[in-house]
Amino acid sequence: MRHIFTIALFTAAMAFASCGMEIETSGNGDLDGFWNLTQVDSTATGVSADVHEQRLFWSVQHKLLQLSDYQNQNPMCLLRFEKNGQQLTLSSPFFYNRDEGDQPIDDISVLAPYGINAMPETFQIQKLNSSKMVLKTDIVTLYFTRF
């Protein structure tokens, strides 16, 4: 009898959950997460820079990208993004400031340490899995490791 009650309760719970509740997901797959920028290659010059020790991070969640510098050399920024297939397009940059309100970024050069050189900026996703990400434009190739 106890076993039948447990099965009935489980079935009722599953029916309730499937009828009225929708779980929101971002659809970003492996893109969502906390990414450490480790290397920047210049497409034009062929120069490669190891930036792992600079502690620059991209935090991706839903449709928002947060850029953070954990050595406090560069401002924290927020951007919108859209992922379509193997393209990642960044737009709408703001300085992160919860106390006074986020302010739009007019001078895109403040985003250069994070590998962003234009606005909007469209990257080709060359590699994206649970541990590595490689993004490329005509100017740079960015290498990330999930943190």
Side-chain angles (χ1 to χ4, degrees):
M1 179 74 164
R2 181 181 233 180
H3 189 62
I4 293 172
F5 178 75
T6 303
I7 292 172
L9 185 61
F10 177 77
T11 304
M14 293 303 293
F16 176 74
S18 65
C19 290
M21 299 175 66
E22 290 184 30
I23 297 173
E24 184 177 334
T25 60
S26 70
N28 292 333
D30 285 332
L31 182 61
D32 278 342
F34 196 56
W35 295 96
N36 181 207
L37 181 60
T38 58
Q39 182 177 321
V40 178
D41 293 350
S42 170
T43 305
T45 64
V47 173
S48 181
D50 181 352
V51 297
H52 180 264
E53 296 300 321
Q54 292 181 23
R55 301 180 64 209
L56 301 169
F57 288 87
W58 287 26
S59 301
V60 179
Q61 183 178 9
H62 198 55
K63 297 289 181 193
L64 189 64
L65 169 64
Q66 179 178 310
L67 306 175
S68 304
D69 174 356
Y70 286 91
Q71 290 187 332
N72 297 316
Q73 302 296 311
N74 300 288
M76 186 180 297
C77 304
L78 299 171
L79 296 94
R80 293 283 179 198
F81 74 88
E82 187 173 330
K83 181 179 178 282
N84 284 322
Q86 293 302 107
Q87 287 191 334
L88 180 66
T89 302
L90 310 181
S91 63
S92 305
F94 284 82
F95 289 111
Y96 180 93
N97 187 337
R98 289 295 174 236
D99 295 334
E100 299 174 21
D102 300 336
Q103 296 297 313
I105 294 175
D106 295 324
D107 181 7
I108 301 305
S109 68
V110 300
L111 302 175
Y114 297 105
I116 301 167
N117 297 294
M119 201 49 49
E121 178 87 281
T122 299
F123 291 93
Q124 295 300 315
I125 301 171
Q126 293 194 315
K127 181 177 189 174
L128 178 60
N129 59 40
S130 62
S131 62
K132 301 285 183 187
M133 177 168 65
V134 179
L135 304 176
K136 183 176 182 173
T137 67
D138 292 338
I139 299 171
V140 294
T141 302
L142 307 178
Y143 298 84
F144 297 87
T145 302
R146 186 178 300 275
F147 195 76

